[in-house]
C-alpha cells in the first residue's frame, strides 16, 4: 500500500523556519521524482520544489528561491523541505508528491498545514 506521510507543519511567526518531512512507503522511493506542492485557500495547487530521483537536480518556484531547500534521503525513503524566512504568503497546506512520469504514476500525501502569522 502506497503511503506518503507528511509531518512538520505548524504555526510559525514571519521570519521563522520549519522543516517538513515526507516519509514514503509501498513503492521504490529511489526511482521517483519527489516534489512539494502547496495550496492556499481559494488558490490552485502550485509546485513549490522538486528533486530528481538521485537528488542531483532540484527546482524551485520563484517565490521560494533562496528561502526553501528540498532534499531527500533514499536510505530513509524520506524527502524534506527546509523553509526559512517564512512569510504570511507561504501559508498553505503542503503536499508531498511522488512521480514516475514515464509510467504515468502520481502519488499524493494528505498534506500538512503551514501557517505563518504573528
Amino acid at each position: 500500500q502506497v503511503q506518503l506521510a507528511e509531518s512538520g507543519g505548524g504555526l510559525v511567526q514571519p521570519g521563522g523556519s520549519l522543516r517538513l518531512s515526507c516519509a514514503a512507503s509501498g513503492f521504490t522511493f529511489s526511482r521517483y521524482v519527489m516534489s512539494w506542492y502547496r495550496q492556499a485557500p481559494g488558490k490552485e495547487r502550485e509546485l513549490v520544489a522538486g528533486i530528481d530521483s538521485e537528488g542531483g537536480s532540484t527546482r524551485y518556484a520563484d517565490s521560494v528561491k533562496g528561502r526553501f531547500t528540498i532534499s531527500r534521503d533514499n536510505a530513509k525513503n524520506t524527502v524534506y523541505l527546509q523553509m526559512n524566512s517564512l512569510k504570511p504568503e507561504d501559508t498553505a497546506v503542503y503536499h508531498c508528491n511522488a512521480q514516475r512520469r514515464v509510467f504515468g504514476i502520481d502519488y499524493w500525501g494528505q498534506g500538512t498545514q503551514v501557517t505563518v502569522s504573528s
Side-chain angles (χ1 to χ4, degrees):
Q1 182 180 1
V2 171
Q3 285 193 328
L4 292 173
E6 301 100 333
S7 62
L11 173 63
V12 63
Q13 291 188 343
S17 298
L18 283 174
R19 189 194 195 204
L20 305 184
S21 299
C22 172
S25 60
F27 62 99
T28 307
F29 179 79
S30 61
R31 295 181 182 175
Y32 283 69
V33 171
M34 299 300 298
S35 301
W36 287 95
Y37 286 75
R38 67 186 181 188
Q39 188 165 20
K43 294 187 177 181
E44 294 188 355
R45 186 175 293 185
E46 64 171 347
L47 175 69
V48 176
I51 187 167
D52 71 358
S53 59
E54 297 181 353
S57 177
T58 58
R59 58 173 177 159
Y60 297 91
D62 287 342
S63 59
V64 308
K65 281 181 182 176
R67 301 188 298 122
F68 290 12
T69 302
I70 188 170
S71 61
R72 67 189 296 161
D73 186 337
N74 286 350
K76 295 183 178 180
N77 288 356
T78 302
V79 62
Y80 306 96
L81 185 68
Q82 178 66 44
M83 306 187 294
N84 299 329
S85 303
L86 283 161
K87 305 175 181 180
E89 51 263 43
D90 295 318
T91 296
V93 177
Y94 283 70
H95 296 270
C96 178
N97 170 265
Q99 187 179 72
R100 204 165 178 198
R101 190 171 296 173
V102 66
F103 294 113
I105 299 174
D106 225 352
Y107 300 133
W108 291 92
Q110 292 298 306
T112 184
Q113 176 71 46
V114 171
T115 302
V116 184
S117 174
S118 55

